[in-house]
Amino acid sequence: METLEQIKARLEAALPSAKIEVLANECAAGERSLLVDAASGFTVAKFLRDDAQLKLDYCSNVTGVDWPDKELTEKIKVKQVVDGVEKEVEEVKKNIRPGYLEVVYHLYSMGLKHGPVVLRLRTENRADKTHLPSLTPLWRGAEFQEREVYDLYGVIFYGHPDLRRILMWDEFVGFPMRRDYIAPDDFEYEPTPHDEVLVEAKKHYPAEPKAEVKP
Amino acid sequence: MFDQLDQIFVNALHWLVGFVPEVLRPLVTPLICISFILMVFPAFFSIITIFERKGIGRIQNRYGPNRVGIPFTKIRLAGFGQFLPDGLKMLTKEDIVPRAADKLVHFLAPVVMLIPVLLSYSVLPFGKNMTLADYDAGLLFFFAVGGAVEIAVFMAGWSSRNKYSLLGAMRAIAQMVSYEIPLILSAVSVVMIVGSLKLTDIIAHQNHYTFGIAHWHVFTPWGFIGFVLFFIASLAESNRTPFDLPEAESEIIAGYFTEYSGFKFALFFLGEYLGMFAIIGLGITLFLGGWTAPFSFLAWIPSWIWFFGKLTAIIFVFIWIRATLPRLRMDQLMNFAWKFMLPLALINILVAGIWHYMAADWQRWLVCGALIAGAYVLLGRGLMQNQKLGKRIYRYAE
Amino acid sequence: MLGEQIIKGMAVTARNFFGSYFSKNRLTTVQYPEERLPQKGNTRQFPFLVYDGDDAEKGLRCVACQICEKECPPKCIYIVKSKDKKPDYKGQPQIYPLTFDIDISVCMSCQICVEVCPFESIKMNTEFELSTADRFGDLLLTKEKLAKPNSYYQKIHPADAAESDAVIAAEKAKAEAKAKAAAEAKVKADAEAKAKAAAAAAAAPIAPPPANPPTTT
Amino acid sequence: MNALATPPKNFEVKPKLAANGEELGELLEVSMGPHHPSTHGVFRMDVVLDGEKVVKLKPVFGYLHRNHEKIGENISYLANMPYTDRLDYFCSMTNNWAYALTIEKLAGLVVPERAEYIRAIMAELTRLQNHTCLIGFFVQDMGALGTPMMYAFREREKILDLFEEVSGARMMCNYMRFGGVRVDVNDEWIAKTKKVVADYSKFLDEFGTFLTENEIVLARTQFVGVLPKDLAINASITGPMLRAAGVNYDLRKVDKYGIYSRFNFQVPVGEHGDIYDRYMIRVLEMRESIKILEQALRDIPVGPVMDPKAKLRGFRPKAGEVYGRVEAPKGELGFYVISDGSPNPYRYRVRPPSFINLTILEDMCLGHNISDAVVILGSVDIVLGEVDR
């Protein structure tokens, strides 16, 4: 299979409007990924699927990743004149990287038996602009997985034929897989030795202090 | 002495009736007979359920029930005491009626199920001289009351207000109506040969021997295929695998008795099994010589032992089939009834006619046998090949 | 011919019917309370704590390092450390668990606690008849209920117990040798210069320290 | 966040009409499950019936949802291993393997050769018992009163005994570790396994005579629930279902993970993509598994079973992300892990094969009888522990 750089070059040639970036991966396996901007996500995916050399006809895995706002600390070496002598002083600069939600697609080719090409799409932020194009029209296999990402992360896929909650019930509020999700604490009484849960749960009990089952 | 044993129940009846004034005898005789039926067959049912559970267990390589014996002792009786707790459980369970159900019909359905089934026993000959009501049109009576079961099934399915029940009831009606036709047509061939609808006449026709072998109808080509048809149709009539669609557990939970529990469920259960016994009893009477012995040298064994022996044997085949086969689909069930069983039953009537009018030598065996076998093979092949069904050969990649 | 394969299938069930009376290979069911299968190799049920010697309180190997509590996937272990110390099997003063509870209604018998334990003190039991009417009391196993002698462990898992005994013995020997060396060094140190004593002390750490080191030393 | 909880209205689907546009009769809406005898657990299908014909079918999940992925993100890499057992509780060994393989890829651990052989043996035994159970269940869904299922369980028992002897548990094995397997097998166990494997083809023969060509089974399964090849690929179907549709894609051949390149085995491929093909492909795959097992048990070398670099306590892989996949009996089981260098994974994702294989359930069931819907579901081979996670 071609390297990601080659794919990127061909993509940029074919789709000039797309902003594509190759993300590094430091781990042992080193599977790098293509980051594509949300607007051209669909066309890029279509290219990857239909291209004769790639033919990525099999979308194996679709998943969301939550990247909350992160405080990045940067150490910048600044030249300063201290006591008349020019010195390099390290200065810690703090800036907040805005959070975003990310959807990762693992694409393989069944015909040519190669892969994976990892495709990433990012939302603008985590609160109100969580829209991404749905790739379900390209790969039916993404249907339930995108619903799952919607359900657990709150990414809204436009163009999805049937975007409903899938694992949680329809009335559920919140997105449980987000990093800042706070689990409910109204569990039934369980005599586990870990009492924090119990203490939290007890708030929800009725007046009867030793009720074993929530009414 | 064996004659005494054979007639022991008949003599006992006469002896009992002897205590009653002459005027009341026509009233008391049937009452005693009815109570006999009401005692014997439910008891037989309870034993058979244990046999069924144990038999299916063994077929499935398990033990089946083998714990419960005589209560309060350590005697286990190999599990044959199981029917007692089973029955008690059924009787004491809560009787649940769905809120939306039509309560009267819901209540009546099991009763309506049981009564015609019990009525059909009145014409069955359980042994020599052991028929409660030996009507001239006994066969017709049997089929007529048997038809009433369908109403009960539909009542149950309709009144429960459950979608599964309704589906089950619909299936049951369609199935029972369809399979009654081959059932009756296969019986028609017997009626043609015997020339009587009276069940005792049918048995008398089979109760003589050549070279020590009985003249059962099943030993003739038309009788054999008639018996096979009757057997399959009776499987369907009693809702047994592979025709258990009305109560298909894996599809529609329990079909028309999904919403029944406790005693009402027990009545359904009882009715279903008694219906099965009755229809097998009829099959025995029509094709297997009723209470007669297969070989003349065995004729000394009491007739009622023969009847119950044959009944048990056929029930075991039913159980065996139940433990082996998967179930058909609704359209396949209908196809089978109308495209296979019905033509074969009609051909069988033709063959029975040929058999009747040809001279009694080897030629009629040949002609009738060839006709039947040919029809069977052709119809069977048509049924399978219409849908291009068959064995497949698989390829391996690389 | 129609029905041919059905008859073949029925022959198979008939063979199984009769086979179940003769062949143990077919009828695999065991009549449980009367008849029991022998225990299989590494069977595991719920954890227990091993103690050496006869006194459960004294010989308990657990040093309340809380690694198992941290690693336990369903978090069913609850440990309260002691304030004081008592000598362990190596003779060194160690803290011990004041409370060691395992809620076996939560425990999923995964054996992670056994694997991460650096002190060979928690092992898997093979006892499985634990059903009880009291879900809240009887299924919360306390230290007293959990503690089992080493001889019990040797009985249920002989091979593993031998291995763990070997580890313990090796550590003990190492500790003793070290103690001896330390004693000798002390004698020497009295005579010789201070530098050598410092060198002996530098060899202090025994056994590779666990990744999450015990919170007190 | 509340505003996002409900999807925009225009995403709602309209109920489908009959494919040929014919006027449908009065429709009956049946909610099959979550407590239905043949939904293989707590699966639910919202079925709309026209008579008995399925005109709409929507799978509903989540009754067994426990947020496995969130649990995995809150505990250490090692502590998550027993939880993977509970995904597809029939095949804990392959689940373990997939997870271990992923983390090994992430941390660059090397598995010793003996451990690789043991893993392959365990995985193939798992495949045997999973497929055995499946064919049993699936014939039971057709109404065969449990007899095939009991035969299947009888054979499965022998394999579970082998698992118990090595790993200590019958189903929740928790056997593999990053960089090897937990305990070594002994020669006695290998001899026992050889015997079980040698006897297994006898069972397959018996089962074959029992049901494979049975007229009722043929009538119920052939040309029912057909899955076209293109749709199968597009809908990311994997495992025996995909191969039954005629696609030659077996990860054991494609990725050659572990030591599968050393074994001589073939991949059976179906032609019609109907239920019968799915059933037969599984039977044939079992025969191939027996071949692999025979080779593996013959060639297994001696040596260590754990990578000496691997450590149990305080395992912190370098930051990065990895996707590892194996051919689990039900299809491609993948794990996607993002590490941020801490003891817990930053993101832990399971690609459950049976969940994704359910995507085309409606397509296969439309126009068929409700009895077929049940059998089609059975032939997909789902386990709710994995579907709902």
Side-chain angles (χ1 to χ4, degrees):
Chain A
M1 203 183 65
E2 298 165 297
T3 60
L4 284 188
E5 279 75 18
Q6 284 169 319
I7 296 174
K8 187 187 166 210
R10 283 191 24 225
L11 271 170
E12 278 168 345
L15 308 162
S17 65
K19 290 187 212 87
I20 300 159
E21 205 180 310
V22 177
L23 293 190
N25 183 358
E26 289 158 20
C27 83
E31 280 169 4
R32 293 174 307 159
S33 46
L34 282 177
L35 176 67
V36 180
D37 65 309
S40 53
F42 188 85
T43 43
V44 167
K46 195 165 167 26
F47 178 86
L48 292 177
R49 189 190 67 166
D50 296 338
D51 185 66
Q53 268 170 288
L54 288 168
K55 248 192 182 167
L56 298 167
D57 50 4
Y58 166 43
C59 173
S60 167
N61 181 36
V62 181
T63 184
V65 188
D66 182 22
W67 300 97
D69 298 349
K70 198 177 174 190
E71 211 169 65
L72 292 175
T73 47
E74 246 182 309
K75 283 180 182 170
I76 310 166
K77 287 184 177 170
V78 184
K79 282 185 180 172
Q80 259 183 340
V81 182
V82 183
D83 303 335
V85 189
E86 200 180 53
K87 262 188 183 176
E88 270 194 7
V89 176
E90 279 195 358
E91 214 173 63
V92 179
K93 200 177 160 192
K94 280 185 185 173
N95 50 354
I96 289 173
R97 187 200 64 187
Y100 52 86
L101 297 166
E102 193 175 55
V103 181
V104 188
Y105 293 83
H106 284 81
L107 308 175
Y108 288 85
S109 169
M110 271 192 192
L112 305 174
K113 296 196 170 56
H114 61 217
V117 172
V118 188
L119 188 69
R120 310 179 94 93
L121 303 175
R122 282 180 186 169
T123 61
E124 268 177 63
N125 59 25
R126 299 171 69 244
D128 53 345
K129 288 184 177 167
T130 58
H131 296 263
L132 281 181
S134 166
L135 302 190
T136 306
L138 296 174
W139 293 286
R140 212 31 226 292
E143 183 183 341
F144 282 2
Q145 304 188 65
E146 280 182 352
R147 268 177 76 184
E148 193 187 320
V149 174
Y150 161 73
D151 187 1
L152 303 180
Y153 283 95
V155 179
I156 294 175
F157 293 94
Y158 54 86
H160 191 284
D162 184 18
L163 196 67
R164 289 176 293 143
R165 283 199 180 266
I166 186 163
L167 293 173
M168 311 305 286
W169 54 103
D170 288 343
E171 298 79 25
F172 185 80
V173 176
F175 303 106
M177 279 302 286
R178 289 199 182 182
R179 308 284 300 181
D180 51 5
Y181 175 76
I182 297 159
D185 48 15
D186 53 344
F187 298 121
E188 287 179 16
Y189 170 71
E190 287 284 318
T192 43
H194 291 260
D195 290 32
E196 314 96 66
V197 176
L198 176 61
V199 172
E200 288 297 311
K202 274 201 173 147
K203 289 181 210 157
H204 297 272
Y205 293 158
E208 175 77 24
K210 277 198 172 176
E212 286 178 356
V213 181
K214 228 174 36 146
Chain B
M1 192 204 87
F2 290 118
D3 283 350
Q4 291 279 310
L5 200 59
D6 189 13
Q7 294 300 309
I8 184 164
F9 294 110
V10 182
N11 294 339
L13 176 73
H14 288 313
W15 178 73
L16 269 176
V17 173
F19 291 105
V20 184
E22 192 94 23
V23 198
L24 291 175
R25 275 182 196 172
L27 199 66
V28 170
T29 314
L31 273 180
I32 293 172
C33 292
I34 288 166
S35 46
F36 173 82
I37 290 171
L38 283 180
M39 277 188 306
V40 168
F41 281 91
F44 188 64
F45 154 75
S46 56
I47 302 287
I48 285 294
T49 50
I50 306 303
F51 267 115
E52 174 155 24
R53 291 174 62 185
K54 284 182 83 76
I56 289 180
R58 283 292 172 169
I59 285 176
Q60 297 178 349
N61 296 327
R62 324 178 260 113
Y63 282 98
N66 66 345
R67 298 262 154 174
V68 184
I70 300 166
F72 310 115
T73 62
K74 289 202 166 170
I75 304 162
R76 279 188 173 168
L77 295 179
F80 278 100
Q82 185 74 41
F83 70 90
L84 201 67
D86 275 4
L88 279 176
K89 186 198 85 175
M90 286 286 194
L91 294 183
T92 50
K93 269 181 96 166
E94 187 190 354
D95 177 36
I96 300 163
V97 181
R99 195 187 294 162
D102 190 333
K103 297 206 175 45
L104 181 67
V105 184
H106 191 264
F107 170 77
L108 277 178
V111 183
V112 176
M113 173 97 175
L114 199 56
I115 286 172
V117 167
L118 287 173
L119 271 178
S120 62
Y121 279 90
S122 61
V123 291
L124 282 183
F126 310 121
K128 200 188 265 177
N129 304 328
M130 285 165 71
T131 312
L132 174 56
D134 196 8
Y135 301 133
D136 282 343
L139 193 61
L140 276 187
F141 177 82
F142 187 95
F143 287 130
V145 292
V149 173
E150 285 147 38
I151 300 173
V153 167
F154 193 71
M155 280 164 73
W158 181 257
S159 64
S160 297
R161 280 288 176 93
N162 180 314
K163 287 160 185 172
Y164 294 118
S165 301
L166 189 63
L167 281 174
M170 294 296 194
R171 285 177 173 197
I173 296 291
Q175 173 180 332
M176 285 179 169
V177 169
S178 309
Y179 277 84
E180 229 155 60
I181 293 161
L183 187 79
I184 293 171
L185 283 181
S186 59
V188 162
S189 55
V190 176
V191 176
M192 278 167 59
I193 298 287
V194 177
S196 169
L197 286 166
K198 195 173 178 177
L199 293 178
T200 42
D201 283 357
I202 292 171
I203 290 176
H205 188 259
Q206 301 176 72
N207 193 11
H208 48 92
Y209 300 90
T210 317
F211 308 126
I213 300 169
H215 277 245
W216 291 1
H217 293 146
V218 75
F219 296 145
T220 59
W222 62 268
F224 178 73
I225 213 74
F227 176 66
V228 169
L229 288 174
F230 191 91
F231 182 82
I232 294 171
S234 62
L235 272 175
E237 280 294 296
S238 47
N239 295 340
R240 301 280 294 188
T241 319
F243 306 108
D244 59 341
L245 288 98
E247 52 208 68
E249 196 224 358
S250 62
E251 296 152 22
I252 49 170
I253 324 290
Y256 53 88
F257 47 67
T258 307
E259 295 290 359
Y260 280 89
S261 64
F263 190 55
K264 286 181 195 159
F265 178 77
L267 280 186
F268 262 119
F269 202 47
L270 180 69
E272 196 146 276
Y273 270 77
L274 291 189
M276 181 175 94
F277 299 159
I279 211 152
I280 295 173
L282 184 71
I284 292 169
T285 310
L286 291 177
F287 297 101
L288 296 179
W291 41 260
T292 62
F295 305 108
S296 54
F297 65 89
L298 290 174
W300 54 270
I301 296 175
S303 57
W304 43 273
I305 288 188
W306 276 118
F307 180 83
F308 279 98
K310 287 173 191 172
L311 188 62
T312 315
I314 304 272
I315 289 168
F316 276 144
V317 180
F318 269 48
I319 294 171
W320 183 13
I321 288 178
R322 181 172 178 215
T324 307
L325 294 181
R327 139 184 355 114
L328 283 165
R329 202 170 60 209
M330 199 65 213
D331 54 328
Q332 291 159 350
L333 180 95
M334 288 294 152
N335 271 348
F336 189 66
W338 296 102
K339 294 185 186 165
F340 181 79
M341 303 230 340
L342 184 65
L344 200 59
L346 290 172
I347 291 170
N348 194 38
I349 288 175
L350 180 74
V351 171
I354 295 173
W355 178 271
H356 187 68
Y357 285 108
M358 271 179 87
D361 56 4
W362 62 272
Q363 282 164 341
R364 79 168 180 182
W365 276 90
L366 194 73
V367 170
C368 294
L371 254 173
I372 285 292
Y376 180 84
V377 170
L378 286 178
L379 283 171
R381 189 167 292 175
L383 197 70
M384 293 295 281
Q385 286 186 345
N386 254 351
Q387 300 165 51
K388 299 193 190 67
L389 305 181
K391 200 181 170 178
R392 284 180 188 171
I393 293 162
Y394 287 84
R395 73 189 166 91
Y396 289 89
E398 290 157 67
Chain C
M1 202 174 73
L2 188 71
E4 198 184 328
Q5 298 292 336
I6 287 178
I7 306 238
K8 270 191 196 167
M10 290 186 63
V12 171
T13 42
R15 208 179 308 133
N16 275 288
F17 178 79
F18 293 113
S20 71
Y21 284 98
F22 303 112
S23 156
K24 193 69 201 156
N25 193 29
R26 290 206 194 275
L27 193 67
T28 47
T29 321
V30 171
Q31 294 288 298
Y32 160 60
E34 297 96 28
E35 198 185 334
R36 277 155 195 277
L37 288 171
Q39 181 204 325
K40 289 199 190 62
N42 299 322
T43 302
R44 59 173 204 254
Q45 297 297 337
F46 290 109
F48 70 97
L49 294 173
V50 188
Y51 66 84
D52 295 309
D54 302 323
D55 187 1
E57 197 56 39
K58 223 172 108 193
L60 204 64
R61 287 179 187 173
C62 178
V63 299
C65 67
Q66 291 184 315
I67 292 178
C68 54
E69 188 185 13
K70 250 176 245 151
E71 284 286 342
C72 176
K75 310 282 180 224
C76 68
I77 304 177
Y78 182 59
I79 300 173
V80 175
K81 287 187 290 188
S82 65
K83 295 273 176 338
D84 56 332
K85 292 184 180 188
K86 62 167 193 179
D88 67 350
Y89 57 91
K90 283 181 284 196
Q92 290 176 333
Q94 275 281 19
I95 51 163
Y96 59 93
L98 272 181
T99 313
F100 195 114
D101 292 346
I102 294 182
D103 187 349
I104 60 167
S105 64
V106 174
C107 175
M108 60 188 203
S109 315
C110 64
Q111 212 178 350
I112 296 274
C113 51
V114 177
E115 282 165 63
V116 297
C117 181
F119 303 99
E120 304 284 338
S121 74
I122 187 164
K123 296 290 170 192
M124 294 311 270
N125 203 342
T126 52
E127 180 64 45
F128 57 90
E129 285 152 319
L130 298 158
S131 58
T132 164
D134 182 7
R135 182 245 176 278
F136 296 112
D138 291 352
L139 291 181
L140 185 67
L141 297 188
T142 55
K143 191 170 72 171
E144 288 72 34
K145 284 189 205 160
L146 286 167
K148 297 260 162 56
N150 194 23
S151 55
Y152 175 76
Y153 183 44
Q154 282 159 348
K155 203 178 84 196
I156 57 168
H157 284 311
D160 293 353
E163 218 170 87
S164 108
D165 284 351
V167 172
I168 296 271
E171 289 212 351
K172 223 174 190 172
K174 220 165 141 193
E176 266 165 23
K178 217 186 63 72
K180 218 172 156 188
E184 276 170 15
K186 213 174 184 186
V187 175
K188 274 183 187 173
D190 287 341
E192 289 181 31
K194 278 179 185 177
K196 284 214 168 178
I206 19 136
N212 294 321
T215 34
T216 49
T217 23
Chain D
M1 232 188 256
N2 271 356
L4 298 178
T6 47
K9 277 281 177 284
N10 54 348
F11 287 138
E12 276 179 15
V13 273
K14 286 172 194 142
K16 278 178 188 160
L17 292 175
N20 53 6
E22 90 186 51
E23 193 104 344
L24 295 172
E26 197 173 330
L27 298 181
L28 188 66
E29 202 170 316
V30 184
S31 172
M32 287 179 83
H35 46 249
H36 184 278
S38 59
T39 46
H40 295 248
V42 286
F43 179 64
R44 182 173 135 210
M45 299 184 275
D46 270 342
V47 189
V48 179
L49 297 176
D50 173 26
E52 283 207 16
K53 211 191 326 164
V54 178
V55 292
K56 185 186 159 192
L57 186 149
K58 287 284 166 210
V60 181
F61 315 90
Y63 294 93
L64 206 60
H65 181 55
R66 54 204 183 275
N67 221 340
H68 174 81
E69 293 172 8
K70 191 87 176 178
I71 295 172
E73 286 170 19
N74 287 333
I75 54 177
S76 69
Y77 284 93
L78 172 67
N80 192 36
M81 184 62 94
Y83 279 121
T84 61
D85 290 341
R86 275 101 181 141
L87 278 173
D88 172 357
Y89 39 78
F90 276 104
C91 325
S92 60
M93 287 288 190
T94 44
N95 296 349
N96 284 177
W97 193 1
Y99 183 54
L101 187 99
T102 311
I103 305 299
E104 279 151 15
K105 255 172 104 177
L106 183 71
L109 296 170
V110 185
V111 184
E113 191 159 311
R114 185 177 173 84
E116 286 281 24
Y117 269 92
I118 295 174
R119 283 180 175 191
I121 291 170
M122 293 302 181
E124 294 310 314
L125 285 174
T126 306
R127 198 179 314 279
L128 273 185
Q129 60 110 339
N130 178 71
H131 285 357
T132 309
C133 280
L134 175 95
I135 57 177
F137 280 138
F138 146 83
V139 185
Q140 196 190 11
D141 282 345
M142 280 193 276
L145 203 95
T147 309
M149 193 198 76
M150 293 306 291
Y151 293 170
F153 268 49
R154 183 188 76 205
E155 298 305 312
R156 173 176 180 248
E157 206 68 358
K158 292 169 190 164
I159 292 175
L160 292 189
D161 283 351
L162 293 174
F163 285 170
E164 185 181 5
E165 201 165 334
V166 174
S167 72
R170 302 166 71 78
M171 288 172 82
M172 304 298 148
C173 297
N174 183 21
Y175 181 56
M176 303 195 187
R177 289 288 175 268
F178 315 133
V181 294
R182 204 180 66 215
V183 275
D184 198 357
V185 300
N186 53 23
D187 293 341
E188 193 195 346
W189 186 85
I190 289 178
K192 271 187 201 168
T193 315
K194 273 182 181 160
K195 196 172 166 297
V196 169
V197 171
D199 288 347
Y200 219 81
S201 43
K202 271 187 226 156
F203 160 71
L204 289 180
D205 291 341
E206 187 191 38
F207 205 90
T209 3
F210 180 22
L211 285 171
T212 306
E213 283 167 46
N214 186 303
E215 282 87 349
I216 300 178
V217 173
L218 293 186
R220 285 299 299 278
T221 55
Q222 291 194 339
F223 306 104
V224 173
V226 176
L227 174 63
K229 193 173 168 179
D230 299 341
L231 180 63
I233 295 174
N234 194 254
S236 307
I237 306 302
T238 44
M241 255 181 105
L242 177 74
R243 294 190 282 277
V247 185
N248 167 28
Y249 194 75
D250 188 326
L251 293 186
R252 290 175 293 174
K253 288 276 189 197
V254 175
D255 280 9
K256 295 194 173 61
Y257 62 93
I259 44 160
Y260 274 116
S261 52
R262 296 186 201 177
F263 301 127
N264 176 27
F265 69 101
Q266 291 170 305
V267 181
V269 172
E271 202 175 325
H272 303 276
D274 55 9
I275 303 181
Y276 189 72
D277 273 2
R278 270 169 240 150
Y279 162 76
M280 281 307 289
I281 291 294
R282 286 185 170 107
V283 173
L284 296 173
E285 255 180 34
M286 277 197 265
R287 297 209 184 260
E288 296 302 317
S289 285
I290 291 172
K291 273 193 217 163
I292 298 176
L293 278 168
E294 278 165 356
Q295 291 167 45
L297 288 165
R298 189 188 60 211
D299 299 340
I300 182 167
V302 286
V305 292
M306 270 301 264
D307 184 357
K309 276 194 293 174
K311 51 180 183 174
L312 279 172
R313 291 183 291 266
F315 177 73
R316 287 160 188 262
K318 259 196 276 176
E321 62 164 61
V322 71
Y323 179 66
R325 52 179 196 164
V326 302
E327 181 72 30
K330 295 187 166 64
E332 173 188 324
L333 176 68
F335 283 89
Y336 174 63
V337 177
I338 300 180
S339 160
D340 59 352
S342 66
N344 303 350
Y346 180 80
R347 172 77 178 109
Y348 161 76
R349 147 88 179 164
V350 188
R351 184 224 187 259
S354 46
F355 174 66
I356 294 163
N357 286 357
L358 279 175
T359 312
I360 36 70
L361 183 67
E362 185 177 13
D363 301 61
M364 291 196 290
C365 288
L366 283 186
H368 284 300
N369 202 306
I370 187 162
S371 338
D372 290 333
V374 169
V375 187
I376 291 169
L377 178 70
S379 75
V380 176
D381 191 8
I382 56 165
V383 158
L384 268 294
E386 186 177 68
V387 172
D388 287 348
R389 281 163 297 139

